Amino acid sequence: MYVVSESEQRTTRTPSGSMFALAAPSQGSTEISTWRVEIGADSATPVHVIDREQVWMPLSGEFEIEVEGRTGQARTGQAVILPAGAVRRLKAVGGPAEALVAMAVGGKAMLPGSEDRIPLPWAE
């Protein structure tokens, strides 16, 4: 058994939000990576692609999720399944939003139209 706590060393901050690493291969998990995301009010992730399926579980606030040109919303008590390879963007609406995210280990990000795979430090 491993108990993993958030730490400043395993936190990644960007202009739109923060990712707080939890379970990952570097923390003893061999199959699943999880992290907590905070996105500031009316801030959004960049448009991007992840090569693994992700499940976003809102903990507070509300998210607008755009996947492959379709838009939906999610809040506490819901889960959003984002398919691998889908172009996506998530935005906090009406205030800040927070979610727990899970995906299979080894996931990488890409910009639409690019083959360059970008490691996700919070999931390694």
Side-chain angles (χ1 to χ4, degrees):
M1 176 177 75
Y2 297 95
V3 176
V4 181
S5 298
E6 293 178 5
S7 70
E8 195 58 37
Q9 295 81 14
R10 294 192 38 78
T11 298
T12 302
R13 299 184 192 283
T14 68
S16 61
S18 299
M19 283 63 63
F20 302 88
L22 292 165
S26 62
Q27 298 296 100
S29 179
T30 59
E31 297 181 19
I32 299 172
S33 294
T34 63
W35 58 95
R36 187 172 62 83
V37 175
E38 292 177 350
I39 297 180
D42 298 316
S43 292
T45 67
V47 175
H48 65 289
V49 175
I50 302 291
D51 64 357
R52 298 281 194 276
E53 178 181 83
Q54 289 183 330
V55 178
W56 282 63
M57 295 155 282
L59 300 172
S60 66
E62 185 172 344
F63 289 91
E64 177 182 274
I65 303 106
E66 184 177 342
V67 178
E68 297 292 334
R70 295 180 51 213
T71 302
Q73 299 204 329
R75 59 181 60 92
T76 304
Q78 297 179 310
V80 179
I81 301 166
L82 300 174
V87 176
R88 74 214 30 216
R89 180 176 170 265
L90 292 98
K91 179 180 180 182
V93 293
E98 178 182 19
L100 183 63
V101 183
M103 78 173 182
V105 299
K108 303 281 190 264
M110 295 163 282
L111 297 175
S114 173
E115 294 297 317
D116 294 336
R117 294 176 182 259
I118 304 162
L120 304 171
W122 51 89
E124 295 186 334

